[in-house]
Amino acid sequence: MAQVTLNQVRKVYPNGAEALEPSTFTIPDGELCVLVGPSGCGKSTMLRMVAGLEDITEGEISIGDRIVNDIDPADRNIAMVFQNYALYPHMTVARNMGYGLKNRGMDKGQIAAKVREAAEMLNLTEFLDRRPSQLSGGQRQRVAMGRAIVREPDLFLFDEPLSNLDAKLRNQMRIEIRALQRRLGTTAMYVTHDQVEAMTMADRIIVLSNGHIEQIGTPNEIYEHPASTFVASFMGAPPMNLLEADAAQGRVTLKNGEVVPQASVNGHAGAVTVGIRPEDIMPSPQGDLTLDVDIIEELGAQRLLHGQMGGQAFSVAVPKDQEASTGEMRLALKPNAVHLFDADQGRRLG
Amino acid sequence: MKRAAFGHIGFPILLLLPQLVIIAIFFYWPAAYAVQSSFYAQDMFGFTSTFVGLENYTRLAGATNYVNALNFTVIFTVLVTFFSLTIALLLAVKADKVIRGAKTYRTLLMWVYAIAPPVAGLIGVMLFDQSRGNLTQFLASFGYEFRLGVNYWDTASAMIAVSVWKQIPVNFIFFLSGLQAIPRSVREAALIDNRSGTSRFWDITFPLLAPTGFFLLIINITYSLFDTFGIIDTLVKSEPGNNPLTLVYRVYVDGFRGGDLGGSSAQSVVLMILVLILTIVQFRFLERRIHYT
């Protein structure tokens, strides 16, 4: 059990590209922290530096109270689960799981006991003598998990572990991994580009973009108070609507002249970006905003109305029992629906 | 798997015909002819031949120089195969770790591949030349007098050295591509599981290279047995005398230089059977232990 601390950690590749700007944060003991962002944002680089698979250009990484910069990956007491499982194809499931323990000099009986225990936990007992090539994707994923568990590490590292699974299995494994991590109480870092995985699994989310940290917070904080337009549009599905608007005399006006209610700008004047989540706004004949609906998308539990608001794309989510048709309609905001960002930097205002 | 359906049996046979004709003309016919002539004795000029039954074979078993060639071939094949495989593997493992200038480095290592065996032999002759050879001079500085073509084991080691040198690039290319086919994440998983590089190599890398290694083992044995002809020919300068000879070279010497076509054919047949047995043994016992991914 250990907390993980990154102190001004930076990564520059030999060709001069900065993969990660100096980053500082702490993951408390026992938490599952998800690193999320689009591909190339530096999330995998960060994880690989913690694992010791990538050199650290600057800064310090510590696991527990030990600075691990110069410690061999095998000595960091970590376990990693890879996207393509990275099982040893020539070893049986049991040997795959026990390989790390064998190299630590644990005796055979003890290894067998630990492997059996982990296999039971993961429903793998009947597959212990099989080779990875004889297993399905989900089973291989479990073996990779088992290999991580038997080591009883201070820290789990997950590098997009569910990306190679089909949607149904992914949902199931997501819950299993979460439950397992809770039960073992082991600190974990989890890399994904899937915001649903991030929202559902994390105790804490770190949103990355272009090599810098956009925001760190609980799923709720990230959703309710996105720190930037990037976070606002990346986290949440369907994504938040972002509209260009002008702030003057304490009021925010859209391009079509409609005033956005709830928007308090605290004296800020000039161009702003207004963010409204599709689920935070609803059709209402007395509403203040006008939407011209072009397309209706049926999602089952709800339907999405896509259209134009003051000449800018805008979407609204309505429950399935609410009638909807194309054409002009009035919309009203739910409480606390408006997020304001400055137009240049995309940072949150207020 | 999807099976292609042919309406008539004639069509697939037609498609296979070119290959079958080539095999028949260049392999089965000469092989059958060799088997046939191994039971006959020809006169010096090839005008007449008499059926002699197994005499060509019994003569072989009694001939000391044939048994010597057989023993030497075994030693030669084992050493050439062993050294060309291990050195190539070592180079490939090291080259795989090179990051800067990797392409140049690899190209340089593969270059030898483009040299024809007789040319390799000639380079060997120059290096080991009695008066001017660099290696002869180098050995002389240690007080050893290296005598190519005169001293049996000096000639033998020159043959082995040149044959190994010539074969390393082929093995290197295969080993290197075999190494690069091992997924990076598997190596990284091993990095987390095992601190020792040596033990990682034997536990993970080596078993995953085994299919490549097995393929190369067969290729190298065949190479040592047959394709070293050009190297041996240039090194012994067509003067077999007291020099070490491999079985294949003896087939040539006895048949074409000695005019004993019957005896030479009998030797080819024996060689053919040996290779056949060897191949069966390899596939039966070795391949079973190899895991193909």
Side-chain angles (χ1 to χ4, degrees):
Chain A
M1 308 300 122
Q3 67 171 29
V4 177
T5 306
L6 272 72
N7 185 12
Q8 294 295 316
V9 171
R10 180 167 183 246
K11 176 72 187 182
V12 181
Y13 281 111
N15 64 10
E18 189 179 39
L20 191 67
E21 292 172 15
S23 304
T24 301
F25 61 85
T26 296
I27 304 168
D29 181 23
E31 267 196 12
L32 192 153
C33 171
V34 172
L35 308 175
V36 68
S39 54
C41 70
K43 57 190 190 299
S44 281
T45 307
M46 196 182 257
L47 191 81
R48 293 168 55 79
M49 284 196 284
V50 175
L53 301 173
E54 203 87 61
D55 288 335
I56 300 162
T57 313
E58 279 169 32
E60 280 172 0
I61 294 179
S62 33
I63 301 172
D65 37 22
R66 205 163 51 132
I67 293 173
V68 295
N69 284 36
D70 298 321
I71 293 176
D72 215 69
D75 295 328
R76 294 189 181 193
N77 202 20
I78 52 165
M80 186 151 169
V81 177
F82 294 82
Q83 179 175 354
N84 56 4
Y85 323 127
L87 301 176
Y88 310 123
H90 58 295
M91 293 185 186
T92 60
V93 168
R95 283 190 58 211
N96 257 292
M97 285 164 70
Y99 183 63
L101 301 180
K102 189 184 121 203
N103 293 316
R104 291 180 182 184
M106 192 181 278
D107 75 65
K108 275 188 180 166
Q110 220 176 335
I111 294 175
K114 280 193 184 295
V115 167
R116 217 175 310 119
E117 190 188 340
E120 262 164 45
M121 207 187 289
L122 294 160
N123 292 322
L124 285 171
T125 313
E126 56 185 307
F127 305 116
L128 281 178
D129 294 325
R130 297 221 193 147
R131 292 264 167 79
S133 56
Q134 296 164 294
L135 302 177
S136 70
Q139 288 162 343
R140 286 182 208 184
Q141 183 58 59
R142 282 213 179 81
V143 177
M145 288 289 300
R147 186 167 66 178
I149 292 171
V150 292
R151 302 177 55 115
E152 293 173 6
D154 288 337
L155 173 67
F156 283 133
L157 301 171
F158 296 97
D159 192 3
E160 309 217 15
L162 305 182
S163 313
N164 285 8
L165 301 178
D166 62 58
K168 193 178 162 206
L169 204 51
R170 200 174 333 167
N171 288 345
Q172 184 192 334
M173 287 303 291
R174 199 167 73 199
I175 297 164
E176 278 185 37
I177 291 180
R178 185 61 179 130
L180 205 58
Q181 189 267 341
R182 276 271 160 76
R183 178 139 56 109
L184 299 169
T186 307
T187 317
M189 286 175 85
Y190 188 107
V191 163
T192 182
H193 60 263
D194 180 350
Q195 58 93 20
V196 179
E197 262 173 45
M199 292 296 286
T200 52
M201 297 180 76
D203 290 311
R204 190 180 300 257
I205 295 176
I206 298 178
V207 186
L208 289 140
S209 154
N210 281 329
H212 76 265
I213 295 178
E214 289 276 339
Q215 189 173 6
I216 302 178
T218 63
N220 214 21
E221 284 166 4
I222 300 261
Y223 181 82
E224 300 289 349
H225 300 282
S228 64
T229 48
F230 174 82
V231 178
S233 58
F234 192 76
M235 301 301 286
M240 185 186 278
N241 297 295
L242 294 172
L243 300 169
E244 291 170 23
D246 283 306
Q249 291 145 8
R251 296 203 310 182
V252 175
T253 319
L254 293 179
K255 298 290 178 199
N256 64 354
E258 286 179 336
V259 174
V260 182
Q262 296 182 14
S264 59
V265 286
N266 298 334
H268 186 95
V272 292
T273 303
V274 175
I276 301 170
R277 292 203 182 273
E279 56 273 28
D280 285 346
I281 190 165
M282 56 191 171
S284 160
Q286 296 84 42
D288 306 295
L289 300 167
T290 318
L291 176 70
D292 191 6
V293 180
D294 302 324
I295 299 168
I296 301 176
E297 211 180 355
E298 298 288 348
L299 295 181
Q302 57 179 7
R303 49 175 72 100
L304 281 179
L305 315 181
H306 301 287
Q308 303 281 318
M309 181 177 282
Q312 302 180 64
F314 195 93
S315 306
V316 180
V318 298
K320 64 169 193 258
D321 46 16
Q322 185 152 13
E323 287 299 317
S325 60
T326 53
E328 217 158 82
M329 71 188 300
R330 307 287 294 169
L331 297 170
L333 294 171
K334 294 178 187 172
N336 303 317
V338 173
H339 307 262
L340 279 183
F341 305 94
D342 82 65
D344 297 337
Q345 305 288 319
R347 308 307 302 174
R348 186 180 188 88
L349 298 170
Chain B
M1 215 196 320
K2 199 184 162 194
R3 278 170 179 276
F6 293 106
H8 192 263
I9 186 75
F11 189 55
I13 290 180
L14 186 74
L15 291 177
L16 282 173
L17 207 59
Q19 183 69 34
L20 291 176
V21 166
I22 289 171
I23 293 177
I25 292 178
F26 291 100
F27 182 72
Y28 288 114
W29 185 63
Y33 186 72
V35 173
Q36 190 210 14
S37 60
S38 70
F39 296 110
Y40 288 84
Q42 276 98 347
D43 70 275
M44 279 297 283
F45 307 100
F47 291 131
T48 57
S49 55
T50 351
F51 183 78
V52 292
L54 288 173
E55 199 197 299
N56 283 327
Y57 291 95
T58 46
R59 200 150 47 87
L60 280 186
T64 37
N65 58 3
Y66 183 73
V67 177
N68 284 344
L70 182 66
N71 289 338
F72 176 70
T73 306
V74 171
I75 296 171
F76 178 80
T77 305
V78 168
L79 290 179
V80 170
T81 306
F82 177 78
F83 283 114
S84 50
L85 283 177
T86 46
I87 295 172
L89 179 59
L90 186 73
L91 289 173
V93 168
K94 294 297 173 196
D96 190 40
K97 287 181 186 154
V98 173
I99 297 163
R100 270 167 221 270
K103 272 201 173 153
T104 320
Y105 186 66
R106 287 169 196 168
T107 312
L108 285 175
L109 276 168
M110 287 176 203
W111 231 332
V112 186
Y113 187 36
I115 297 172
V119 179
L122 270 178
I123 295 172
V125 168
M126 288 197 280
L127 286 173
F128 291 110
D129 186 88
Q130 196 67 71
S131 46
R132 300 178 309 273
N134 302 37
L135 286 175
T136 317
Q137 284 170 2
F138 177 72
L139 288 169
S141 69
F142 291 100
Y144 184 81
E145 197 190 346
F146 191 90
R147 305 180 67 183
L148 181 70
V150 178
N151 182 312
Y152 184 90
W153 285 111
D154 283 356
T155 315
S157 41
M159 276 180 191
I160 292 167
V162 177
S163 303
V164 168
W165 174 70
K166 177 74 184 73
Q167 185 63 5
I168 285 175
V170 186
N171 296 345
F172 171 78
I173 294 168
F174 278 99
F175 274 134
L176 187 64
S177 65
L179 280 170
Q180 290 178 343
I182 299 175
R184 190 172 72 146
S185 60
V186 168
R187 297 181 189 209
E188 288 176 344
L191 213 57
I192 293 174
D193 268 347
N194 192 344
R195 153 183 334 112
S196 151
T198 323
S199 127
R200 273 202 307 271
F201 175 80
W202 290 113
D203 288 349
I204 310 294
T205 315
F206 191 74
L208 293 179
L209 271 184
T212 312
F214 177 67
F215 165 74
L216 285 179
L217 181 69
I218 292 174
I219 294 290
N220 278 267
I221 291 177
T222 320
Y223 162 80
S224 318
L225 285 174
F226 297 102
D227 299 347
T228 46
F229 184 91
I231 292 170
I232 295 170
D233 192 47
T234 14
L235 280 175
V236 303
K237 295 166 186 161
S238 304
E239 287 162 13
N242 191 30
N243 282 318
L245 297 181
T246 60
L247 288 177
V248 166
Y249 199 72
R250 264 202 71 95
V251 170
Y252 162 74
V253 169
D254 288 350
F256 295 95
R257 306 292 294 281
D260 178 12
L261 277 182
S264 164
S265 300
Q267 291 183 30
S268 324
V269 173
V270 171
L271 197 57
M272 212 148 64
I273 293 168
L274 283 179
V275 172
L276 196 67
I277 293 172
L278 202 64
T279 313
I280 292 171
V281 167
Q282 282 169 340
F283 273 98
R284 285 292 292 273
F285 297 101
L286 258 178
E287 204 196 12
R288 226 186 266 168
R289 304 175 49 132
I290 287 172
H291 174 77
Y292 292 96
T293 39

